[in-house]
Amino acid sequence: MGQALGCVQVDQSTVAVKEHFGKFDDVLDPGCHCLPWCFGYQLAGQLSLRVQQLDVRCETKTKDNVFVTVVASVQYRALAEKASDAFYKLSNTKGQIQSYVFDVIRASVPKLLLDSTFEQKNDIARAVEEELEKAMSAYGFEIVQTLIVDIEPDVHVKRAMNEINAAARLRLAANEKAEAEKILQIKRAEGEAESKYLSGLGIARQRQAIVDGLRDSVLAFSENVPGTTAKDVMDMVLVTQYFDTMKEIGASSKSSAVFVPHGPGAVKDIASQIREGLLQADSVKQ
């Protein structure tokens, strides 16, 4: 109805292209405009000034011959001051942008190894943006931003990369576990050595205490009972210890002692053996 009356409305963030008998005449800003069609004026079309986004999937290969799919996201918009160029010079804006993205990605990625491709994706995005900016500015478009949003290796390559990573982590875990076990064994050995050392000190002190006690007993008995010799005192001490030992064995219900044929006279034999050993030791010293 508006065009029939020679009036057109241009929405916000949009410009309209006016033609006069098929020739470009002017760019109409948002608002209401008079367009007398009877004088050969017509509305050729409208052009959005909003930022638009184009996602481009490009398959290429890296320097180490791994095929990857690079997903680039290009954000662009038409410039109001160059609306006529944006409207007339390009018939397929998205196709043109896609061609430039393919060209830059397929020229950049083959120079990089697979790992470097992931690390330098910002450099790839910058190269795409610079190339698009130079090319599309001549057609009235501005490249707002270019992002490399995804790099997808082949499925088999991705699985192999995961397996390599998993194997490396398992190897690291095994080394840490072995190191921990080594530390435990060292600490356990140090503890056993310290325990045996302290046990040896305890046994030595115990034997020293026994020897001191026997010496004191022999001296005290010899002084209090006239006419007794050191041999008599030692025989009596050995018999006393013999019966104490038998008492302890008999009092234990879970004793694992093994009895062999013996009698109280065996104590005399033990005393004789000890005495002979002492005499032999004295003779060797002399």
Side-chain angles (χ1 to χ4, degrees):
M1 184 65 180
Q3 291 186 358
L5 297 176
C7 294
V8 294
Q9 176 183 320
V10 181
D11 297 331
Q12 184 66 33
S13 299
T14 306
V15 293
V17 177
K18 183 176 69 171
E19 293 180 345
H20 186 217
F21 291 113
K23 181 182 178 181
F24 170 73
D25 182 71
D26 195 9
V27 176
L28 303 180
D29 294 327
C32 183
H33 300 272
C34 181
L35 199 69
W37 57 271
C38 56
F39 293 106
Y41 292 98
Q42 64 176 355
L43 192 66
Q46 295 188 357
L47 183 67
S48 175
L49 301 180
R50 295 190 178 103
V51 176
Q52 303 180 61
Q53 179 168 307
L54 174 64
D55 293 329
V56 181
R57 297 178 64 88
C58 177
E59 185 179 15
T60 183
K61 75 168 186 173
T62 61
K63 188 176 181 180
D64 46 354
N65 296 322
V66 178
F67 281 89
V68 295
T69 299
V70 181
V71 182
S73 180
V74 181
Q75 298 175 355
Y76 65 98
R77 67 180 177 183
L79 297 173
E81 60 272 17
K82 295 183 178 181
S84 59
D85 293 338
F87 187 82
Y88 286 105
K89 287 188 176 182
L90 288 180
S91 60
N92 186 357
T93 305
K94 293 185 178 180
Q96 186 80 3
I97 293 176
Q98 187 174 11
S99 298
Y100 279 107
V101 173
F102 281 169
D103 181 66
V104 175
I105 290 179
R106 288 175 176 168
S108 302
V109 175
K111 299 177 182 179
L112 304 173
L113 299 175
L114 180 59
D115 293 339
S116 300
T117 303
F118 285 94
E119 296 172 358
Q120 301 182 24
K121 69 182 187 69
N122 291 334
D123 296 337
I124 299 173
R126 192 178 303 110
V128 173
E129 183 175 342
E130 291 175 356
E131 187 66 24
L132 285 175
E133 186 67 35
K134 290 189 296 183
M136 299 304 295
S137 60
Y139 299 107
F141 285 93
E142 176 191 12
I143 304 301
V144 179
Q145 193 169 14
T146 302
L147 303 173
I148 302 298
V149 296
D150 196 8
I151 299 176
E152 300 176 359
D154 184 77
V155 177
H156 300 290
V157 176
K158 188 183 297 185
R159 185 181 301 114
M161 292 174 64
N162 291 333
E163 290 177 356
I164 292 173
N165 188 273
R169 292 181 181 276
L170 288 174
R171 183 170 62 251
L172 180 61
N175 290 336
E176 294 294 336
K177 183 179 180 181
E179 190 67 22
E181 292 178 354
K182 175 183 176 181
I183 294 174
L184 288 176
Q185 291 179 359
I186 292 175
K187 293 299 181 182
R188 190 181 298 114
E190 291 177 353
E192 291 178 357
E194 185 68 18
S195 176
K196 291 179 179 179
Y197 173 75
L198 296 176
S199 177
L201 289 179
I203 293 174
R205 292 174 180 174
Q206 180 185 17
R207 291 176 177 174
Q208 183 64 38
I210 292 174
V211 170
D212 293 341
L214 290 175
R215 184 183 64 252
D216 294 341
S217 299
V218 169
L219 293 176
F221 196 88
S222 299
E223 293 176 356
N224 295 328
V225 181
T228 58
T229 63
K231 175 181 176 300
D232 298 332
V233 177
M234 287 298 300
D235 290 341
M236 184 188 70
V237 170
L238 288 175
V239 171
T240 303
Q241 290 183 344
Y242 169 79
F243 283 110
D244 290 340
T245 302
M246 295 298 297
K247 180 180 179 182
E248 292 180 0
I249 294 175
S252 177
S253 60
K254 298 182 180 180
S255 176
S256 58
V258 178
F259 290 93
V260 296
H262 69 288
V267 178
K268 183 177 181 181
D269 296 335
I270 294 173
S272 301
Q273 294 175 6
I274 294 174
R275 185 166 51 255
E276 290 175 0
L278 294 174
L279 292 175
Q280 291 178 1
D282 292 339
S283 63
V284 171
K285 292 180 179 179
Q286 295 174 355

